[in-house]
């Protein structure tokens, strides 16, 4: 008994020692793992179950003034391959090629490449992506990449610019406002399970990265579209090299349209030449030609040197000045100043310039903003070239008088005309109206900004009335006339400098028209410039009709009522479609002698048409069809006071 | 531990006071045992709750991940639809449709009537 107890005690002691040693060993190992290698092992473990999820930046959108989207961002998928993981390249190539619409040989070459990673196709459509997903092959994968879309295609392409593959704006507004609309890249560590699925246990906040801000422009898609269409039509018709059309709101400096030809579609920017990408309205300067005469006219009127009716002798078309001979297209004798502007006489303006003198003239050129940046929110603007009066030679005063030897951008020129239209203020033009953060707060807002007062309101009004003569009978800009409105403007046909031989190129011309409408209360200023037309070169012929068409459409779009009531054609000549109802119901009386006409039963449109033909004034109450008129038909006479019509739907 | 406390006095005085073990001590031992057992149970309970919570977190994580994925997909779909809408309503297309399908044209001279 005692012996067995002793043995037990010894056994127990041995077991104790054994366990103690084991515990020590385990403890030691634990200490080693936790303290010495802890950090390294934790990193190793996390690498297996934690994965960094990268959130791509969401670029803000670009909208026009009515909220129509011009640029939107989406994520499209790009297909890649890891060639060394692919088991059966031949079979895979055969199934991949038709899905991705790639040649079989190219597909196979890509998936058998030595590289560890190859792009199969960037930015595939969602249909293609689904098919790739369905294949479910090891070694082929997809990656989300941001992709910029311009749903209107080439509309305002140069103005919008474009975005590179790495989501950075490279041109136009995309570049100028890049910092606002880019959006941030974010990343977050999230756990993943054995199958690689994401388990959002932590890092949820990290995935909510606010997208970039949206830009709202001053541009009007409809006016922009009309401007582009009309510009293209004229460039094609006169076989010109290029063209620019700009429409600006004169009192604010808001750009309503800015069109360039050749056009540029930012959806596939890489395939188009830098020539197409260029926004000529701000990056190119031209010798303006006769449109610049208005600047001299403004200077001479403002300084009180020349009055509207002062007479000048136009030398019957040939005037020797500073060793050269200045020509006019038509010979003129004595002409009043307003007529000189109307027929655009070079000799007349040379004589005006002689009176104004170069220093004073230069001061106005500078005041109107020439030779300086307009400050528009677009990249790549050039200031043009205006030499200081000290370096002008004797002939320069004459050439500057009719817009040669000086260069301006189309935008500078239109802003100078906007100053005449708005009563004398040079405005800073802008395209971006406001930048809105995703939560709707305003990040940036461009307000109308007066750069300086250039001329007095009196001079501006006088000049506007003189410019109105240019588009009336006998002027150079008759074709710019818009039905029902008074147009003020000036044509220009400039020679182009020859960069190779010096001097002017024999045949190259720039035809232009700048003007505003309605002349007395301008709602828009527009400039049309046709570069190197071949069929005809005169601004009054190649550019003025474009101005008319754009202005007509734009005024309708802006709902501006005509200030001259146009005589209405007789009812019979109206298109059948419009007056279907009236032919059935109403017979227009031939004259107004049978007393007040019968309006009952007519629609509002028919009643108004009828009243207009009869020269009758109406007052309208309600909507729909006329049920009652204040004076019974046949009573009184049509040319008496206002007739009140009651309408019901 | 409980065993150690119970057997120590027995070894020191073998046989002598076997019938009368210290009742108070015994009672204390039992109370201690219950206490410790409860504590252990509590501990196990806490551990179980922790595990359950952890499972819930993972489960919710899956749900959240799926929801986020769905959200991303719907946002993407929304953007695609926006682009489609904008493309379909581009002035270029609208004009040709208005001209071709509806036979519309810009108003002729005199067709625009300004309300008095």
């Amino acid at each position: 008994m005692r012996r067995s107890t002793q043995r037990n005690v010894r056994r127990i002691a041995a077991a104790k020692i054994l366990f103690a040693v084991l515990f020590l060993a385990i403890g030691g190992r634990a200490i080693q793992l936790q303290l010495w290698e802890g950090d390294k092992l934790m990193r190793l473990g996390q690498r297996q179950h934690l994965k960094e999820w990268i959130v791509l930046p969401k670029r803000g959108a670009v909208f026009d003034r009515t909220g129509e989207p011009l640029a939107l961002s989406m994520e499209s998928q790009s297909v890649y391959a890891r060639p060394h993981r692919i088991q059966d390249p031949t079979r895979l190539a055969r199934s991949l090629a038709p899905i991705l619409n790639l040649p079989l040989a190219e597909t196979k070459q890509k998936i058998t490449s030595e590289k560890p990673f190859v792009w199969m196709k960037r930015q595939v459509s969602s249909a293609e992506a689904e098919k790739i997903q369905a294949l479910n092959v090891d070694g082929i994968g997809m990656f989300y990449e941001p992709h910029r879309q311009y749903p209107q295609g080439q509309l305002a392409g140069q103005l919008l610019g474009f975005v590179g593959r790495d989501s950075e704006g490279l041109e136009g507004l995309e570049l100028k406002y890049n910092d606002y609309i880019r959006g941030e890249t974010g990343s977050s560590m999230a756990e993943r399970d054995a199958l690689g699925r994401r388990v959002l246990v932590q890092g949820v906040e990290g995935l909510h990265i606010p997208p970039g801000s949206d830009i709202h422009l001053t541009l009007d898609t409809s006016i922009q579209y009309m401007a582009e269409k009309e510009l293209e039509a004229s460039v094609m018709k006169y076989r010109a090299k290029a063209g620019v059309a700009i429409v600006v709101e004169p009192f604010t400096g808001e750009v309503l349209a800015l069109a360039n030809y050749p056009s540029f579609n930012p959806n596939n920017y890489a395939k188009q030449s830098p020539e197409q990408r260029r926004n000529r309205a701000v990056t190119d300067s031209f010798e303006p030609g006769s449109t610049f005469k208005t600047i001299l006219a403004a200077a001479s009127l403002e300084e009180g040197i020349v009055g509207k009716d002062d007479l000048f002798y136009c030398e019957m078309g040939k005037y020797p000045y500073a060793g050269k001979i200045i020509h006019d297209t038509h010979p003129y004798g004595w002409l009043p100043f307003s007529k000189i502007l109307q027929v655009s006489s070079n000799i007349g303006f040379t004589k005006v310039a002689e009176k104004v003198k170069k220093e004073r003239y230069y001061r106005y050129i500078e005041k109107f903003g020439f030779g300086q940046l307009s400050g528009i929110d677009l990249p790549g603007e050039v200031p043009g070239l205006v030499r200081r009066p000290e370096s002008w030679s004797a002939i320069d005063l004459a050439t500057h008088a009719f817009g040669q030897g000086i260069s301006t951008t189309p935008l500078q020129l239109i802003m100078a005309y906007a100053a005449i239209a708005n009563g004398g203020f040079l405005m800073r033009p802008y395209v971006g109206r406001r930048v809105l953060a995703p939560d709707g707060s305003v990040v940036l807002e461009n307000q109308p900004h007066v750069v300086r007062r250039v001329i007095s309101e009196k001079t501006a009004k006088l000049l506007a009335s003189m410019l109105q003569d240019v588009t009336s009978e006998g002027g150079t800009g008759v074709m710019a006339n818009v039905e029902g409105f008074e147009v003020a403007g000036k044509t220009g046909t400039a020679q182009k400098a020859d960069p190779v031989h010096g001097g002017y190129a024999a045949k190259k011309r720039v035809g232009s028209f700048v003007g505003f409408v309605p002349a007395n209360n301008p709602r828009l200023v527009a400039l049309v410039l046709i570069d190197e037309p071949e069929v005809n070169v005169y601004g009054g012929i190649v550019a003025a009709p474009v101005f008319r068409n754009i202005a007509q459409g734009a005024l309708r779009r802006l709902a501006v009522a005509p200030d001259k009531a146009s005589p209405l054609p007789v009812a019979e000549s109206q298109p059948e479609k419009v007056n279907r109802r009236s032919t059935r119901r109403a017979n227009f009386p031939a004259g107004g002698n049978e007393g007040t006409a019968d309006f009952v039963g007519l629609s509002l449109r028919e009643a108004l048409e009828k009243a207009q033909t009869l020269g009758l004034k109406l007052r309208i109450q309600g909507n729909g069809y006329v049920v009652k008129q204040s004076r019974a038909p046949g009573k009184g006479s049509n040319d008496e006071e206002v007739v009140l019509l009651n309408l019901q739907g | 531990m409980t065993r150690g406390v119970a057997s120590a006095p027995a070894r020191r005085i073998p046989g002598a006071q076997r019938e009368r073990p210290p009742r108070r001590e015994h009672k204390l031992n039992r109370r201690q045992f219950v206490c410790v057992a409860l504590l252990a149970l509590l501990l196990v309970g806490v551990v179980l709750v922790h595990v359950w919570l952890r499972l819930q977190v993972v489960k919710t994580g899956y749900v959240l991940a799926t929801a986020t994925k769905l959200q991303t997909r719907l946002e993407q779909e929304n953007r695609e639809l926006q682009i489609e809408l904008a493309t379909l309503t581009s002035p270029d297309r609208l004009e040709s449709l208005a001209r071709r399908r509806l036979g519309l044209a810009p108003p002729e001279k005199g067709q625009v009537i300004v309300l008095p």
Side-chain angles (χ1 to χ4, degrees), chain A residues 74-79 99-100 121-134 142 144 147 149, chain B residues 73 76-81 84:
Chain A
M74 55 186 285
E75 282 174 353
S76 65
Q77 305 193 73
S78 291
V79 185
I99 298 178
L100 296 176
K121 194 175 179 184
R122 303 289 284 265
Q123 293 169 347
V124 299
S125 69
S126 45
E128 287 173 317
E130 253 169 55
K131 283 181 197 158
I132 296 286
Q133 203 113 51
M142 274 179 297
Y144 276 105
H147 176 52
Q149 281 269 353
Chain B
R73 219 193 66 212
Q76 172 76 5
E77 214 174 293
N78 183 271
R79 275 194 294 270
E80 276 169 25
L81 289 172
E84 202 180 321

Side-chain angles (χ1 to χ4, degrees), chain A residues 89-148:
Chain A
T90 321
R91 236 184 65 196
L92 183 63
R94 228 171 272 142
S95 52
L96 262 182
I99 298 178
L100 296 176
N101 213 354
L102 291 171
L104 186 65
E106 192 191 325
T107 316
K108 197 173 170 192
Q109 188 208 327
K110 274 184 175 172
I111 55 177
T112 50
S113 128
E114 288 295 308
K115 289 181 204 153
F117 180 96
V118 232
W119 283 116
M120 295 302 294
K121 194 175 179 184
R122 303 289 284 265
Q123 293 169 347
V124 299
S125 69
S126 45
E128 287 173 317
E130 253 169 55
K131 283 181 197 158
I132 296 286
Q133 203 113 51
L135 271 185
N136 196 20
V137 189
D138 193 31
I140 296 285
M142 274 179 297
F143 188 75
Y144 276 105
E145 279 191 308
H147 176 52
R148 198 72 165 158

Side-chain angles (χ1 to χ4, degrees), chain A residues 5-182:
Chain A
T5 330
Q6 265 181 351
R7 213 165 63 213
N8 279 348
V9 169
R10 235 182 284 134
R11 271 190 194 156
I12 288 167
K16 272 181 182 170
I17 289 164
L18 181 73
F19 277 107
V21 169
L22 280 177
F23 271 121
L24 271 178
I26 290 170
R29 178 70 177 149
I31 287 168
Q32 188 207 358
L33 287 178
Q34 291 284 349
L35 295 185
W36 275 273
E37 292 175 35
D39 285 345
K40 197 183 103 198
L41 290 169
M42 195 160 83
R43 271 202 306 276
L44 274 174
Q46 278 178 352
R47 201 191 289 172
Q48 281 190 356
H49 70 91
L50 279 186
K51 193 190 170 195
E52 190 180 22
W53 299 88
I54 294 179
V55 183
L56 296 167
K58 286 198 186 80
R59 204 173 170 84
V62 181
F63 299 99
D64 86 334
R65 68 190 298 137
T66 57
E68 191 70 29
L70 296 172
L72 292 168
S73 271
M74 55 186 285
E75 282 174 353
S76 65
Q77 305 193 73
S78 291
V79 185
Y80 65 81
R82 294 185 186 279
H84 62 274
R85 282 212 220 156
I86 293 168
Q87 307 288 336
D88 187 353
T90 321
R91 236 184 65 196
L92 183 63
R94 228 171 272 142
S95 52
L96 262 182
I99 298 178
L100 296 176
N101 213 354
L102 291 171
L104 186 65
E106 192 191 325
T107 316
K108 197 173 170 192
Q109 188 208 327
K110 274 184 175 172
I111 55 177
T112 50
S113 128
E114 288 295 308
K115 289 181 204 153
F117 180 96
V118 232
W119 283 116
M120 295 302 294
K121 194 175 179 184
R122 303 289 284 265
Q123 293 169 347
V124 299
S125 69
S126 45
E128 287 173 317
E130 253 169 55
K131 283 181 197 158
I132 296 286
Q133 203 113 51
L135 271 185
N136 196 20
V137 189
D138 193 31
I140 296 285
M142 274 179 297
F143 188 75
Y144 276 105
E145 279 191 308
H147 176 52
R148 198 72 165 158
Q149 281 269 353
Y150 301 88
Q152 318 276 0
Q154 60 179 39
L155 192 92
Q158 292 95 343
L159 192 72
L160 292 169
F162 57 91
V163 177
R165 281 248 167 83
D166 50 359
S167 208
E168 287 291 319
L170 297 179
E171 266 292 359
L173 289 164
E174 297 273 25
L175 171 62
K176 190 76 185 180
Y177 286 94
N178 194 40
D179 290 346
Y180 293 102
I181 56 176
R182 184 178 49 212

Side-chain angles (χ1 to χ4, degrees), chain A residues 131-271:
Chain A
K131 283 181 197 158
I132 296 286
Q133 203 113 51
L135 271 185
N136 196 20
V137 189
D138 193 31
I140 296 285
M142 274 179 297
F143 188 75
Y144 276 105
E145 279 191 308
H147 176 52
R148 198 72 165 158
Q149 281 269 353
Y150 301 88
Q152 318 276 0
Q154 60 179 39
L155 192 92
Q158 292 95 343
L159 192 72
L160 292 169
F162 57 91
V163 177
R165 281 248 167 83
D166 50 359
S167 208
E168 287 291 319
L170 297 179
E171 266 292 359
L173 289 164
E174 297 273 25
L175 171 62
K176 190 76 185 180
Y177 286 94
N178 194 40
D179 290 346
Y180 293 102
I181 56 176
R182 184 178 49 212
E184 286 163 51
T185 313
S187 70
S188 143
M189 296 299 283
E191 283 179 44
R192 58 175 180 177
D193 66 6
L195 293 171
R197 286 177 300 181
R198 177 163 52 160
V199 190
L200 275 179
V201 174
Q202 46 174 327
V204 185
E205 299 82 13
L207 290 173
H208 290 287
I209 308 258
S213 305
D214 294 340
I215 321 179
H216 293 254
L217 304 182
T218 60
L219 212 69
D220 186 303
T221 309
S222 298
I223 300 177
Q224 174 76 23
Y225 170 67
M226 283 185 281
E228 283 183 15
K229 200 179 67 171
E230 297 298 338
L231 182 69
E232 184 178 352
S234 181
V235 168
M236 295 307 229
K237 186 173 173 192
Y238 296 104
R239 287 208 296 277
K241 200 180 91 182
V244 175
I246 316 175
V247 183
V248 170
E249 215 282 310
F251 288 91
T252 57
E254 291 183 357
V255 176
L256 294 172
L258 201 160
N260 281 281
Y261 186 88
S263 52
F264 164 68
N265 187 341
N267 282 318
N268 48 356
Y269 63 89
K271 287 189 190 134

Side-chain angles (χ1 to χ4, degrees), chain A residues 234-486:
Chain A
S234 181
V235 168
M236 295 307 229
K237 186 173 173 192
Y238 296 104
R239 287 208 296 277
K241 200 180 91 182
V244 175
I246 316 175
V247 183
V248 170
E249 215 282 310
F251 288 91
T252 57
E254 291 183 357
V255 176
L256 294 172
L258 201 160
N260 281 281
Y261 186 88
S263 52
F264 164 68
N265 187 341
N267 282 318
N268 48 356
Y269 63 89
K271 287 189 190 134
Q272 292 165 82
S273 67
E275 280 286 296
Q276 284 173 284
R277 290 179 200 166
R278 217 167 58 224
N279 187 357
R280 289 154 205 270
V282 297
T283 62
D284 284 20
S285 55
F286 296 84
E287 291 203 7
S290 301
T291 46
F292 208 72
K293 286 174 181 159
T294 311
I295 308 304
L296 178 58
S300 57
L301 290 171
E302 178 75 8
E303 292 286 316
I305 299 163
V306 175
K308 189 186 170 198
D309 302 314
D310 289 7
L311 290 169
F312 289 87
Y313 184 60
C314 291
E315 311 281 345
M316 299 315 286
K318 270 185 190 168
Y319 180 43
Y321 182 85
K324 308 246 174 173
I325 293 174
I326 292 163
H327 295 274
D328 269 343
T329 35
H330 301 287
Y332 298 107
W334 286 95
L335 287 180
F337 184 42
S338 59
K339 195 82 183 163
I340 288 177
L341 186 70
Q342 190 192 14
V343 300
S344 196
S345 160
N346 290 343
I347 296 167
F349 268 94
T350 307
K351 292 192 169 181
V352 174
E354 281 179 273
K355 284 192 159 190
V356 175
K357 305 224 165 45
K358 58 182 182 181
E359 282 79 15
R360 241 181 326 197
Y361 183 25
Y362 176 78
R363 218 170 61 225
Y364 279 89
I365 293 175
E366 214 180 17
K367 266 173 113 178
F368 268 108
F370 297 103
Q372 310 142 36
L373 298 176
S374 71
I376 193 170
D377 46 351
L378 284 171
E381 194 189 359
V382 295
L385 183 74
V386 179
R387 283 180 290 135
R388 293 197 60 81
E390 299 88 68
S391 62
W392 291 13
S393 64
I395 189 74
D396 279 341
L397 180 64
T399 54
H400 277 53
F402 43 84
Q404 285 186 356
I406 194 166
S407 78
T408 78
T409 63
L411 189 71
Q412 283 173 335
L413 197 61
I414 194 176
M415 291 323 289
Y417 273 77
I420 297 162
N422 67 25
F425 295 101
L426 181 69
M427 304 299 294
R428 187 184 64 200
Y430 60 98
V431 186
R433 186 182 246 180
R434 58 175 77 92
V435 177
L436 294 183
D439 60 1
S441 61
V442 178
V443 183
L444 177 94
E445 186 156 23
N446 277 327
Q447 300 275 6
H449 173 80
V450 179
V451 180
R452 66 181 80 90
R453 179 178 263 290
V454 186
I455 48 172
S456 68
E457 194 168 347
K458 207 177 121 215
T459 310
K461 285 264 178 287
L462 179 62
L463 198 53
S465 74
M466 285 169 70
L467 288 170
Q468 222 168 300
D469 293 341
V470 175
T471 62
S472 53
E473 210 47 53
T476 52
V478 191
M479 290 173 97
N481 256 322
V482 182
E483 184 72 39
F485 293 95
E486 294 285 358

Side-chain angles (χ1 to χ4, degrees), chain A residues 437-615:
Chain A
D439 60 1
S441 61
V442 178
V443 183
L444 177 94
E445 186 156 23
N446 277 327
Q447 300 275 6
H449 173 80
V450 179
V451 180
R452 66 181 80 90
R453 179 178 263 290
V454 186
I455 48 172
S456 68
E457 194 168 347
K458 207 177 121 215
T459 310
K461 285 264 178 287
L462 179 62
L463 198 53
S465 74
M466 285 169 70
L467 288 170
Q468 222 168 300
D469 293 341
V470 175
T471 62
S472 53
E473 210 47 53
T476 52
V478 191
M479 290 173 97
N481 256 322
V482 182
E483 184 72 39
F485 293 95
E486 294 285 358
V487 176
K490 182 80 189 75
T491 57
T493 311
Q495 291 175 287
K496 275 189 95 173
D498 189 335
V500 186
H501 303 99
Y504 287 97
K507 281 188 174 167
K508 291 181 180 172
R509 297 282 190 280
V510 177
S512 57
F513 187 90
V514 205
F516 46 90
V517 65
N520 300 318
N521 181 25
R523 290 294 302 276
L524 57 91
V525 200
L527 170 143
V528 178
L529 188 144
I530 308 287
D531 192 12
E532 292 183 26
E534 279 179 11
V535 181
N536 194 316
V537 296
Y538 292 104
I541 292 166
V542 298
V546 182
F547 173 92
R548 179 193 57 217
N549 294 345
I550 295 174
Q552 201 163 36
L555 287 168
R556 206 182 297 133
R557 165 81 181 162
L558 299 172
V560 183
D563 38 29
K564 295 187 282 190
S566 54
L568 205 80
V570 209
E572 285 81 24
S573 70
Q574 288 275 323
E576 171 68 12
K577 210 179 302 159
V578 182
N579 265 330
R580 212 178 289 145
R581 205 184 290 273
S582 66
T583 46
R584 183 163 43 84
R585 278 212 238 158
N587 293 311
F588 288 91
N593 304 327
E594 296 93 3
T596 309
D598 185 2
F599 287 99
V600 176
L602 299 185
S603 72
L604 180 57
R605 165 175 282 273
E606 289 157 2
L608 287 164
E609 275 172 2
K610 191 169 179 177
Q612 212 167 343
T613 27
L614 300 171

